[in-house]
Amino acid sequence: MSFSSFLVEFITWFVFCYFIALNLGYLSLNLFSLRSLRRKGQEMFMAELPRAYSGLEPPISILVPAYNEEATIAASIRSMLQLSYAEFEIVIINDGSKDDTLEVLKREFALLPFPEAYRRQIPTKEVRQVYRSTRYPNVRVIDKLNGGKADSLNAGINISRYPLFCGVDADSILQRDSLAKVTEPFLRDPTVVAAGGTVRVANGCQVSGGFLTKVGLPTNVWALFQVVEYLRAFLFGRLGWSAMNGMLIISGAFGVFRKDAVVLAGGYRRDTIGEDMELVVRMHRLLRARRQPYRIEFVPDPVCWTEAPEDFRTLKNQRIRWQRGLAESLNANWGLVFSRNGGVPGWVAFPFMLLFEWLGPLIELGGYAFMIWAFFTGMISWEAFGAFLFVAVGMGILLSASGLLLEEMSFHIYPRGKQLAMLGLVVILENFGYRQLNSWWRLTGLWRWLVQKESTWGAMKRKGISQPDAPK
Amino acid sequence: MAIVQQSDSFVTVALWTGAVALGLTLLLAIQIVLMRVSLRRRERREAQVLARWRPLLNQIVVGERPSLPALAPRERLPFLRLWVHLQGSLRGDATEALNAMARGLGVDALARAMLARGAREERLLAALVLGHLRDREAWPQLLPLAELSDSALSLTALWALVRVDPVAAADYLTPLFIEREDWALSHVAGILKEAAAPTAAVIGRLLPTLPQERLPRALRIAEALRVPLPGAVLAGALNSEQVPVVIAGLRGVMTPETIAEVRALLAHEDWQVRVQAARALGRIGAREDVPRLVALLADPQWWVRYRAAQALRELPALSRADLEAVRAGLTDRYAADMLQQVLAEEENA
């Protein structure tokens, strides 16, 4: 065998084995998720029944960073005020908005300046003024110089009063009982330092009074693909890792943290795009190094609905940023990987992320490119090329179908048969182009991280969720 | 061409792998469809049960005595869910009427059978039913359940035991509650609320005998249930060398009996102790404690300053004007800011 033929054979097998390992890895996570979901399903009926125990739940500070949100901020905060939870405060952080966000808040919530003697446990950009609502005693607003989302959350942490805080995007829609459910792990286990909830795509759903009233599927094809992606990412990605205490991501759109643990870790990093993931990875690293017993959990049912991008450009930019955020988070915490006390996060989750999420797009697209090149230059047969595509697509469909199975086993968010059939179709279709396109965007993100090209959050183009009863 | 030949083994393996993936996908698809069909069937059955039983249950709740049909086996689970749901939202005579009706239908025996042989979901439901029924016969079955590591199941069984016999449950369960650190304190306190008096007696009896490591949790339970602690126990906790015990003791301070110990703890090296000492002094302190609390307003820890300011506000002997005067006299900026914040909070409350 000549060297070139050996090389082609080797790369062919390597790419093939990589695809198999990647998909088997995710399928294993799926198995871990199954048991948790089954037990959760058994207890689900109890949520509708009178509780066997009354809650003395820990109070929560809801932190809402806001930048140029004049159009939606008042409705968002009003809906948050209706959350059913024993004791919570809402801290809105106006991050130097250039529009009338602060004026809207002042008007809608009757804000007055408040002499807050707050702690600066984490350094942030200058806080110009703290306001307190005269209508709602549990609403406060921080007006600060622009410093980004991480800086805003840090300012919110400094001013928040309660031992737990929940970071929420200003445009997120929380289910009414979501706080009660996401704090369950903290009640059950005093070592829990963070818990994340499921995020679902709100496009196609109807919203009234800040709450989701009717679940629907989006008609936009980009949003439709993302519905399946979110099912896969949350139901077995995070639930599987959570079962092993190796969860490295809690979505910035909805996560609850123990404040003292976050302060100990130094708060959110301001110089990263993926500040939510970076914080969780750093907490793992620091708590592992201190040999402190802790748990970071995922709760599958407290649902937070978010609007997914519906146009090509916004979606592309979002995915590029996500990949950059992932690369930054892993790069900033090398100390965790294979460390002496690394446990599951250091020995399994971090290497898994590195191999399949960080390097994934490079090897996946490299693999496709190589196979196409090898086929057209006659280095491999069309049978080999076809078989490779068969495996890549077949495993991809299997993976997404298992996400759909978990959804069907647990929550039945999409109740109509038509919706299920549509999701089944998307599970197949997304493997013919969308998934590869996604890998290309992620590769771009990786490249931008490598060359340290500046990337900002930018403005997300929003269509707006249908709100038939919302005041005009 | 030679290279093409060498890829034959690759083709075979890849085709088989793809075929397995495809086969598994088909299986998953069938499973998804079957689950959806079964869900629909279950929902239809539940709707039928609700349509048949809800009007009857409503009649019983308002004091009527309709003639009841027998409970068919396939109606059992949805009926029990409906029954438990109603029980949770009702009080007084209505719950007794529902209990009498359930016994008439043989629900008590059914629930005991489910507890003995049912799947986890059925056992959870059965424990709730038996708790609402206050079913004494279920006591020996519920006891071992309460000791399981499954927290949802064990806590539901505990709740049922407390409902069945609060005194016996308090006697048996309080030591267990103190021991089982995996049970969330808020859940424990919530369950014990129904047996607050007997639990208080048991805790009072147990406290002097407990080892130091068990004391913080026992004291927290006592605090949650507002159990007045014996003076000797409290003084012992406040003089303990274990910080968690001291903190738990300070939370339990409700009367001036131990004021000397509390005052001494204002200077404790652990800031969390100082926080709790300031809070305790807010509850039991007098005008003579003002200088002590004013000194704490300059503490390096924010929480100590905050609680000290709140304690000053809570002291019964101080008026708003007195507090303004205290603030005007403060030379430490942090202390003045904190007192100003707490006064503003009071204004807005």
Side-chain angles (χ1 to χ4, degrees), chain A residues 331-366:
Chain A
N331 187 50
N333 293 286
W334 280 107
L336 176 62
V337 67
F338 301 135
S339 60
R340 187 187 288 183
N341 304 315
V344 171
W347 286 83
V348 187
F350 197 112
F352 186 95
M353 283 281 172
L354 209 60
L355 199 59
F356 297 135
E357 295 284 345
W358 188 64
L359 276 177
L362 184 67
I363 301 178
E364 274 179 62
L365 288 181

Side-chain angles (χ1 to χ4, degrees), chain B residues 179-190:
Chain B
E179 205 173 302
R180 288 276 299 255
E181 303 235 345
D182 57 318
W183 287 339
L185 204 60
S186 56
H187 292 174
V188 169

Side-chain angles (χ1 to χ4, degrees), chain B:
Chain B
M1 197 60 195
I3 295 169
V4 172
Q5 288 303 319
Q6 280 160 12
S7 64
D8 281 354
S9 56
F10 171 80
V11 173
T12 312
V13 175
L15 279 177
W16 273 108
T17 312
V20 169
L22 196 65
L24 284 174
T25 307
L26 282 175
L27 282 179
L28 287 188
I30 293 168
Q31 177 70 10
I32 290 170
V33 172
L34 288 178
M35 283 168 74
R36 180 54 69 102
V37 170
S38 137
L39 176 72
R40 285 280 169 273
R41 200 181 297 144
R42 199 168 62 239
E43 282 173 352
R44 271 199 301 275
R45 197 168 60 230
E46 282 182 8
Q48 283 166 1
V49 172
L50 290 188
R52 181 168 136 104
W53 284 97
R54 193 190 283 275
L56 295 171
L57 288 169
N58 286 343
Q59 279 178 281
I60 287 165
V61 165
V62 296
E64 294 173 23
R65 308 229 169 194
S67 62
L68 297 173
L71 189 61
R74 65 191 195 95
E75 291 180 324
R76 283 172 182 169
L77 287 181
F79 171 82
L80 290 183
R81 285 192 200 114
L82 173 66
W83 184 86
V84 169
H85 179 71
L86 273 177
Q87 280 284 17
S89 52
L90 296 169
R91 297 285 177 275
D93 290 345
T95 63
E96 288 311 316
L98 283 178
N99 279 352
M101 173 237 197
R103 285 200 193 90
L105 289 170
V107 163
D108 47 349
L110 170 67
R112 285 195 294 273
M114 279 166 60
L115 205 59
R117 292 184 298 276
R120 183 171 178 265
E121 186 179 356
E122 291 182 4
R123 294 171 99 189
L124 282 165
L125 185 58
L128 281 171
V129 170
L130 293 165
H132 281 299
L133 282 171
R134 300 180 193 272
D135 188 84
R136 283 194 173 274
E137 276 186 57
W139 183 271
Q141 276 179 275
L142 288 166
L143 272 184
L145 231 58
E147 291 181 13
L148 293 179
S149 59
D150 181 335
S151 61
L153 200 49
S154 59
L155 280 169
T156 311
L158 287 171
W159 170 84
L161 286 167
V162 170
R163 297 266 309 173
V164 172
D165 187 342
V167 177
D171 225 28
Y172 174 76
L173 296 172
T174 309
L176 206 60
F177 278 133
I178 295 169
E179 205 173 302
R180 288 276 299 255
E181 303 235 345
D182 57 318
W183 287 339
L185 204 60
S186 56
H187 292 174
V188 169
I191 290 172
L192 287 181
K193 263 181 190 163
E194 291 214 28
T199 306
V202 178
I203 287 188
R205 224 174 36 236
L206 282 176
L207 277 171
T209 65
L210 285 174
Q212 290 277 309
E213 67 271 16
R214 296 267 176 254
L215 266 180
R217 190 169 162 88
L219 291 169
R220 290 298 305 276
I221 295 173
E223 181 203 350
L225 295 175
R226 303 188 192 288
V227 173
L229 295 169
V233 170
L234 202 52
L238 298 183
N239 288 315
S240 168
E241 286 180 5
Q242 306 283 322
V243 167
V245 176
V246 179
I247 290 173
L250 281 166
R251 285 171 179 275
V253 170
M254 297 295 159
T255 58
E257 214 177 344
T258 50
I259 196 162
E261 283 88 348
V262 172
R263 284 171 180 157
L265 289 169
L266 292 172
H268 197 279
E269 61 183 11
D270 190 299
W271 69 268
Q272 295 183 71
V273 173
R274 299 200 298 276
V275 165
Q276 294 303 330
R279 291 187 75 183
L281 208 55
R283 292 193 292 271
I284 62 168
R287 196 178 181 94
E288 62 187 283
D289 290 308
V290 171
R292 294 185 180 91
L293 290 170
V294 167
L296 272 195
L297 282 177
D299 195 280
Q301 279 292 337
W302 186 93
W303 275 109
V304 180
R305 296 201 297 277
Y306 184 53
R307 294 302 185 204
Q310 283 184 323
L312 277 170
R313 196 187 64 193
E314 282 160 22
L315 283 183
L318 285 189
S319 66
R320 171 93 191 186
D322 292 334
L323 287 169
E324 293 286 2
V326 168
R327 193 177 73 81
L330 288 170
T331 51
D332 184 290
R333 204 197 95 203
Y334 289 107
D337 285 352
M338 184 55 81
L339 196 50
Q340 187 185 4
Q341 175 189 317
V342 168
L343 290 174
E345 276 174 13
E346 189 184 30
E347 235 169 65
N348 286 354

Side-chain angles (χ1 to χ4, degrees), chain A residues 187-209:
Chain A
L187 290 175
R188 213 177 45 238
D189 183 350
T191 67
V192 171
V193 292
T198 310
V199 179
R200 302 275 182 135
V201 173
N203 306 49
C205 300
Q206 278 186 5
V207 176
S208 174

